[in-house]
Amino acid sequence: MTADPETTLRADARRNRDQILAAAKNIFAMSGPEVPMEEIARAAGVGVGTLYRRFPDRDALVRAVAMDNFERVLIDARVIAEEETSSWRALERLLRQSVELQLSVQLAMVSHRALVILKSDPEVRRLRDEILSVLDGFVDGAKAEGKLRDDVGAGDIAILFATLLRQMRAKSPEVAEMAARRCVGIMIDGLSARPGSALPGRPITSGDLDPD
Amino acid sequence: MTADPETTLRADARRNRDQILAAAKNIFAMSGPEVPMEEIARAAGVGVGTLYRRFPDRDALVRAVAMDNFERVLIDARVIAEEETSSWRALERLLRQSVELQLSVQLAMVSHRALVILKSDPEVRRLRDEILSVLDGFVDGAKAEGKLRDDVGAGDIAILFATLLRQMRAKSPEVAEMAARRCVGIMIDGLSARPGSALPGRPITSGDLDPD
Amino acid sequence: MTADPETTLRADARRNRDQILAAAKNIFAMSGPEVPMEEIARAAGVGVGTLYRRFPDRDALVRAVAMDNFERVLIDARVIAEEETSSWRALERLLRQSVELQLSVQLAMVSHRALVILKSDPEVRRLRDEILSVLDGFVDGAKAEGKLRDDVGAGDIAILFATLLRQMRAKSPEVAEMAARRCVGIMIDGLSARPGSALPGRPITSGDLDPD
Amino acid sequence: MTADPETTLRADARRNRDQILAAAKNIFAMSGPEVPMEEIARAAGVGVGTLYRRFPDRDALVRAVAMDNFERVLIDARVIAEEETSSWRALERLLRQSVELQLSVQLAMVSHRALVILKSDPEVRRLRDEILSVLDGFVDGAKAEGKLRDDVGAGDIAILFATLLRQMRAKSPEVAEMAARRCVGIMIDGLSARPGSALPGRPITSGDLDPD
DNA sequence: TATGAATGAGTATTCATTCAT
DNA sequence: CATGAATGAATACTCATTCAT
C-alpha cells in the first residue's frame, strides 16, 4: 500500500504545497496560466525551488490546479444531487452556486496552452467525465420534470457553463460579480421549458464534447 | 496612364499592411495575442522588419486589429439599424449575425495584456462607445416594444455578448459553430420579455462597463 | 535545388557562424562540452541570441563541432591515402599528423553527455564510418607489407587513437605537446611488426566499435 | 559484551562513509565528477544531508575518492615491489594489474574541475608523489636491466598510464575490457627495449608533471 | 543524527525590438 | 524599402548547499 503523495508529505511540505496551489489558482485566474513561475512562488511565500520540487514544471502545476478545481465542482455536484429532489432545481443550483467552477472553467478555457495541457491528461479527463455524468443525470431528470426545454442536451449546458462562468471584467468587482449572477439568471430563463423559439441544430450531448 | 511611383509605393504598403492585419487577426483568434511576432510576419508573408515598419510594436498591432474588428461591428450595427424596423429584431440580428464581433470580443477578452492595451487607447474607447450607443438604442426600443425584459440594460447584453461569443475551441468546428448559434439562441430566449424569475441586482447600463 | 545552409547564409551571418564554431571548438577542447553557452558566445564575439539563432541548442552545437572535426580528419586521411604508397607509412602519418583528430576525439570522449549526443546522430555516424573505412584500408595494407603486427585490427587502433590523442595536461603546453608526440611514438613502436609478446583477446575490428 | 553507544555510532558512521565513497567512486567513473550530489546520495542509500555531514562539499568528496584510489595504487605498487625481483616485471605488472588505478586516473583527468581540485590538495600531491617515487624506482631498475628503452622517463609512463587507462565507454563491457588490456599490451611492447625508432623530444621525468 | 525540504544563484533558452545588408 | 541577422532582457529550470523536522 504505497501512500499517495498528498498523504505522505511532511507537515510543512504539505502546507507549502497547499499554499502554492492556492496562490497559483488565484494568479492563474487573474492573469492566465503564463505568469512567471517566480511570481507564483512569491505569492505563495516560497522560493522557486520549492515550487519546482512540488511541481516539476509549469504543466504539472496547471494540471494540479485544474484537478483541484474539478474535484471541488464534482463534490459540489454530488452534494447537490443528494440534497435536491428536483433535477431542475439541482441544475439551477449547480449553475448558480459553483464559484469554484468559475475558476476551473476559466482556467481551462483561457489559454490555448492550458487547453492542450489539460486535454492530454487522462486524470483530468476522468474527472471531467464524472462531472458530465452527474450533469447528464440532472438534464434527463429536469426534462422529465418538464422544467428543462427538450431541445437541449448536457453538452449545450456544459458549453454555456464553460462560456458564461468566466470571470467577467467590469467596472468594479461588485459589478462583475453581479453581472455573473445575472448572466446565469438569463441563461437559466433561456433554458426553462417555455422557449420562444426553437434552437438551431440538434441537442449537443456530453458525447459531442472534444471527441478528439 | 501608369501610376506614379508614390502611388505605387502606397499601394504596396497598403497591401502589406492589410496582409499583416489579416494574418494577425487569424492568429490572434487562434492562439491569443501573445504569439511571437515572427510567426505573424511569417503568416503574412513578410519579414519581421516589415511588420515593425507598419506597426511600431505589438501593442500597436493589437490595437489595430481591435479597431478593425470594432469598425466592422459598428458598420454592421448601423446597417441593421437602417434595415430593421423592430428594435428587438435588430438586437436579435446583431447578436446572431456578428461574426466579426466574435473575433473582436474574443481578442479583447482573452488576455489580460490585450485588455490593458485596449483600455488605455482613446480611439478604441471611442469606437466601443459608439457601438454601445447603437446598442443602447436597440435596448430602449425593444423594451418599449415589450419584447425585451425590463430588468436588463445594455450593459447586461454587452457582457453576455462578450462572454458568450467567445470562440469555442476543441470539438469539431461544426459542433463548435452550432454550439455558438445555440448559445445565442438560449440567451435570446432568456432575454425575451417573459422571464421565469427576476434577475438579481439591477440592470447594468453601458455606463457600468469599465469606466476606469 | 535547395541551397544547403552553409551556402545560403548571408556573408555576415556566415562569418558569425564560423566564429562561433571556432570558438566552440577551442572552448570545448579546453573545458569540455558543458561550458556556459554565454561563454562561447562571448568568445565568438557575438550575443547569445546569435549563437542560438545558428544552433538551436547546445546539442546542435556539439554536433556541429564534431562534424567539422571529423570532416577535417577524413580529408586528411584521404590526402594521406593519395600521397603515400606504403600503408604503414600512411597509418603512421595519420596518427602523427592529425591535430584536428585530437580535438574531435577529445570532444567525443570527454563527456558522457557529448557521447550520447553524438551517438544518436546519423550524420556523425556516417562520417565516423567513412573514417574507419579508410583506416581499415591502411590496416590491411600495412599488415600485407609486414609492417603492422598481425594481431591488431582497425578497432584496436581506433581505440588507441581515441584514447591516446586526448589532450595531455602537464607542466607546460610544451611538455604537453611533446608528451603527445611521444605517446604516439611509443604506440607506433608497440604496433610495429616485431612484438615482444602476444596480445590478449582477439583483434578488435571496426565492427566491434559501439555495436549498440 | 554489547558495544557501547559511542562505538556503535562510529561503526554506523563508518559504514555510511564507506557506502558513500563506494557509490561516488562508481558514479564518478561512470558519469564524471559533475553528477548531482543527490544522485550520489541516492546510490549510497542515504539522504543528501548525510552525505554533506560526511563530506562538507563536492570538492571534499572528489578528494576523498581520489585519495582512496591513490592509496590502493600505492599499496599495490609496494606489494609488487616486494614480490618482484625484476623491475621490468614489476613495471609490467603494475601497469597490467592496477584496476583501481584506472579509476583514480580517470577521475583525475576526466574533468578540468576535478583536476583543479586535486592539484590544490597537498595530501593528494603527497600520495601521488609517493606513487611516482616507486615508479621512478621501477623505471631506473628496468633500464638497468636492459628491458626498458632508454629514451623514456617515469613521466612518460605516468602520462601513458593516465591517458591509456581511462575507461573506454561504449561498446560491450567485454570488448571494452579486452580493449583496455590490449592497449596496455601494445604500450608495453612499445616501451620494451628494442625500439624501431627514436622518440621525439627528451624523456619526461616525474618532475615534469604539473609542477604548477 | 538522518532525512529530505527550502533556498536561490547559475544557466539555458526565447522573443521583442533594432539595425546592417 | 524589405529583409532577416544580432542583441540582450526576461523567464524557465537545475542543483549545490543549508536547515527545520
Side-chain angles (χ1 to χ4, degrees):
Chain A
M1 183 176 63
T2 29
D4 83 291
E6 310 227 340
T7 309
T8 313
L9 251 33
R10 227 165 68 181
D12 55 340
R14 188 60 221 257
R15 182 166 40 262
N16 269 330
R17 201 196 122 95
D18 291 349
Q19 280 170 15
I20 293 172
L21 216 47
K25 197 184 288 195
N26 284 330
I27 299 193
F28 281 168
M30 218 159 72
S31 324
E34 331 257 41
V35 283
M37 295 297 262
E38 194 128 8
E39 196 172 316
I40 298 171
R42 199 172 333 113
V46 303
V48 256
T50 304
L51 196 167
Y52 275 95
R53 166 182 282 271
R54 282 319 145 209
F55 305 96
D57 56 19
R58 177 190 298 283
D59 288 10
L61 182 57
V62 168
R63 257 193 291 276
V65 169
M67 291 290 288
D68 193 82
N69 285 145
F70 277 140
E71 262 159 22
R72 289 171 200 254
V73 174
L74 186 55
I75 290 168
D76 276 12
R78 284 179 171 155
V79 167
I80 290 173
E82 286 284 300
E83 293 180 357
E84 298 291 343
T85 51
S86 151
S87 288
W88 169 254
R89 291 290 321 252
L91 187 55
E92 248 193 282
R93 193 173 139 195
L94 180 62
L95 297 181
R96 287 212 159 86
Q97 164 183 323
S98 254
V99 180
E100 295 305 333
L101 188 142
Q102 270 204 35
L103 296 175
S104 64
V105 166
Q106 184 179 352
L107 173 63
M109 289 296 181
V110 127
S111 119
H112 216 233
R113 168 122 192 252
L115 212 49
V116 169
I117 296 173
L118 296 180
K119 282 193 142 169
S120 65
D121 186 297
E123 288 209 273
V124 171
R125 300 293 290 236
R126 190 180 48 66
L127 257 182
R128 198 204 61 155
D129 290 346
E130 286 193 61
I131 294 175
L132 282 176
S133 109
V134 175
L135 190 62
D136 266 330
F138 290 174
V139 165
D140 290 347
K143 281 185 187 171
E145 292 164 8
K147 294 289 182 47
L148 178 63
R149 56 196 292 175
D150 261 322
D151 58 355
V152 301
D156 285 296
I157 297 189
I159 289 175
L160 272 169
F161 231 43
T163 310
L164 259 186
L165 292 183
R166 212 165 304 219
Q167 184 154 340
M168 321 274 169
R169 308 182 210 263
K171 188 188 195 108
S172 58
E174 296 78 41
V175 171
E177 207 236 324
M178 183 171 75
R181 278 185 292 121
R182 292 171 64 81
C183 282
V184 176
I186 292 170
M187 179 178 112
I188 288 174
D189 272 355
L191 286 174
S192 74
R194 23 198 184 67
S197 54
L199 296 176
R202 56 166 179 73
I204 297 180
T205 66
S206 34
D208 283 317
L209 307 176
D210 17 48
D212 45 295
Chain B
M1 180 177 64
T2 33
D4 77 286
E6 192 177 28
T7 308
T8 305
L9 282 180
R10 289 226 172 137
D12 255 38
R14 179 91 227 153
R15 183 165 38 262
N16 262 335
R17 205 194 120 94
D18 291 348
Q19 278 169 10
I20 293 172
L21 216 47
K25 197 184 289 195
N26 284 330
I27 298 195
F28 282 167
M30 218 160 70
S31 325
E34 331 259 39
V35 284
M37 295 298 264
E38 192 124 11
E39 198 172 315
I40 298 169
R42 198 171 335 114
V46 303
V48 257
T50 306
L51 195 167
Y52 273 91
R53 163 175 300 276
R54 295 302 163 220
F55 305 94
D57 57 18
R58 175 190 297 282
D59 288 9
L61 181 58
V62 168
R63 257 192 294 276
V65 169
M67 290 291 287
D68 193 81
N69 285 144
F70 278 141
E71 261 159 23
R72 290 170 199 253
V73 174
L74 186 55
I75 290 168
D76 276 12
R78 284 180 171 151
V79 167
I80 289 172
E82 286 285 299
E83 294 180 357
E84 298 291 341
T85 51
S86 150
S87 290
W88 169 253
R89 290 292 318 256
L91 186 55
E92 248 192 284
R93 193 173 139 195
L94 180 62
L95 296 181
R96 285 213 159 86
Q97 163 182 323
S98 253
V99 180
E100 295 305 332
L101 188 141
Q102 272 201 36
L103 294 176
S104 64
V105 166
Q106 185 181 351
L107 174 63
M109 286 299 182
V110 127
S111 121
H112 215 232
R113 169 122 193 252
L115 208 52
V116 169
I117 296 172
L118 296 179
K119 280 196 166 167
S120 65
D121 185 292
E123 286 208 274
V124 172
R125 300 294 292 234
R126 189 181 48 65
L127 257 183
R128 198 204 59 157
D129 289 345
E130 287 193 63
I131 293 175
L132 281 176
S133 106
V134 176
L135 188 62
D136 267 330
F138 290 173
V139 165
D140 290 346
K143 280 185 188 170
E145 292 163 8
K147 292 291 182 48
L148 178 63
R149 56 198 292 176
D150 261 323
D151 57 355
V152 302
D156 284 299
I157 296 187
I159 288 176
L160 270 170
F161 231 44
T163 310
L164 261 186
L165 293 185
R166 208 164 306 214
Q167 182 156 338
M168 323 269 168
R169 311 191 218 223
K171 303 161 266 296
S172 70
E174 299 77 42
V175 171
E177 205 236 326
M178 182 171 74
R181 279 184 292 120
R182 292 171 65 81
C183 283
V184 176
I186 291 169
M187 182 178 109
I188 288 173
D189 272 357
L191 286 173
S192 76
R194 16 188 193 76
S197 55
L199 295 177
R202 55 166 180 74
I204 297 179
T205 68
S206 35
D208 284 318
L209 306 175
D210 29 42
D212 45 295
Chain C
M1 180 177 63
T2 29
D4 84 290
E6 310 228 338
T7 310
T8 313
L9 253 32
R10 224 165 68 184
D12 56 341
R14 189 61 221 256
R15 183 166 39 262
N16 269 329
R17 202 196 121 96
D18 291 349
Q19 278 169 14
I20 293 171
L21 217 46
K25 197 184 288 197
N26 285 330
I27 300 194
F28 281 167
M30 219 160 69
S31 325
E34 331 257 37
V35 282
M37 294 297 264
E38 195 128 9
E39 196 172 316
I40 298 169
R42 197 171 335 113
V46 303
V48 255
T50 304
L51 196 167
Y52 274 93
R53 167 181 282 271
R54 282 317 147 214
F55 305 95
D57 57 19
R58 178 190 297 283
D59 288 10
L61 181 58
V62 168
R63 259 193 290 276
V65 169
M67 290 289 288
D68 193 83
N69 285 145
F70 278 140
E71 262 159 23
R72 290 170 198 253
V73 174
L74 186 55
I75 291 168
D76 276 13
R78 284 180 172 152
V79 167
I80 290 172
E82 285 285 299
E83 293 179 359
E84 297 291 342
T85 51
S86 151
S87 288
W88 169 253
R89 290 291 319 252
L91 187 55
E92 247 194 284
R93 193 173 140 196
L94 180 61
L95 297 181
R96 286 214 158 84
Q97 164 183 321
S98 252
V99 179
E100 296 304 334
L101 189 142
Q102 270 202 35
L103 293 176
S104 64
V105 165
Q106 186 179 350
L107 174 63
M109 288 297 180
V110 127
S111 117
H112 216 234
R113 170 121 192 251
L115 211 50
V116 168
I117 297 172
L118 297 180
K119 282 195 142 169
S120 65
D121 186 297
E123 288 209 273
V124 172
R125 301 293 290 237
R126 190 181 47 65
L127 258 182
R128 198 204 60 154
D129 289 346
E130 287 193 61
I131 294 175
L132 282 176
S133 108
V134 176
L135 188 62
D136 267 329
F138 290 174
V139 166
D140 290 346
K143 280 184 188 172
E145 291 162 9
K147 292 291 182 47
L148 178 64
R149 55 197 293 176
D150 260 322
D151 57 356
V152 301
D156 285 297
I157 296 189
I159 289 177
L160 271 170
F161 230 43
T163 309
L164 260 186
L165 292 184
R166 209 165 306 219
Q167 184 154 341
M168 321 273 168
R169 309 181 208 263
K171 189 189 194 109
S172 60
E174 297 77 42
V175 171
E177 207 237 322
M178 182 172 73
R181 278 185 290 122
R182 293 171 64 80
C183 282
V184 176
I186 291 170
M187 178 179 111
I188 289 173
D189 273 355
L191 287 172
S192 75
R194 14 187 195 77
S197 54
L199 295 176
R202 55 166 179 75
I204 297 179
T205 67
S206 35
D208 284 317
L209 305 177
D210 16 49
D212 43 297
Chain D
M1 182 176 63
T2 32
D4 77 285
E6 193 178 28
T7 307
T8 306
L9 282 180
R10 290 226 170 134
D12 254 39
R14 181 90 228 155
R15 182 165 37 259
N16 263 334
R17 206 194 119 94
D18 290 349
Q19 278 169 11
I20 293 172
L21 216 47
K25 197 183 289 194
N26 284 330
I27 298 194
F28 282 167
M30 217 158 71
S31 324
E34 330 258 40
V35 284
M37 294 297 263
E38 192 123 12
E39 197 171 316
I40 299 169
R42 198 171 334 115
V46 303
V48 257
T50 306
L51 196 166
Y52 273 90
R53 164 175 297 276
R54 297 300 163 223
F55 305 94
D57 57 18
R58 175 190 297 282
D59 289 9
L61 181 58
V62 169
R63 258 193 293 276
V65 169
M67 290 290 288
D68 193 82
N69 285 143
F70 278 141
E71 261 159 22
R72 290 169 200 254
V73 174
L74 186 54
I75 290 168
D76 276 12
R78 283 180 172 153
V79 167
I80 290 172
E82 285 285 298
E83 294 178 358
E84 298 290 343
T85 51
S86 150
S87 288
W88 169 252
R89 290 292 318 254
L91 185 55
E92 247 193 282
R93 192 172 141 196
L94 179 62
L95 295 182
R96 287 214 157 86
Q97 162 183 325
S98 255
V99 180
E100 295 307 331
L101 187 142
Q102 272 204 35
L103 295 176
S104 63
V105 165
Q106 185 179 350
L107 174 64
M109 286 299 181
V110 127
S111 121
H112 216 230
R113 168 121 194 254
L115 210 52
V116 170
I117 296 172
L118 297 180
K119 280 196 167 167
S120 66
D121 185 294
E123 286 207 275
V124 172
R125 301 293 291 235
R126 189 179 47 66
L127 257 183
R128 198 203 59 155
D129 289 346
E130 287 193 61
I131 294 175
L132 281 176
S133 108
V134 176
L135 188 63
D136 265 331
F138 290 173
V139 165
D140 290 347
K143 281 185 187 171
E145 293 163 8
K147 293 289 182 49
L148 177 66
R149 57 199 290 174
D150 261 323
D151 57 356
V152 302
D156 284 298
I157 296 185
I159 288 177
L160 270 170
F161 230 44
T163 310
L164 261 187
L165 293 184
R166 208 163 307 213
Q167 182 156 337
M168 323 271 168
R169 312 190 217 223
K171 302 160 266 296
S172 69
E174 298 76 42
V175 172
E177 206 238 323
M178 182 171 75
R181 279 185 292 121
R182 290 172 65 82
C183 281
V184 176
I186 292 169
M187 178 179 112
I188 288 174
D189 272 355
L191 287 173
S192 75
R194 2 178 211 84
S197 54
L199 296 176
R202 56 165 178 75
I204 297 179
T205 66
S206 36
D208 284 317
L209 305 176
D210 27 45
D212 45 295

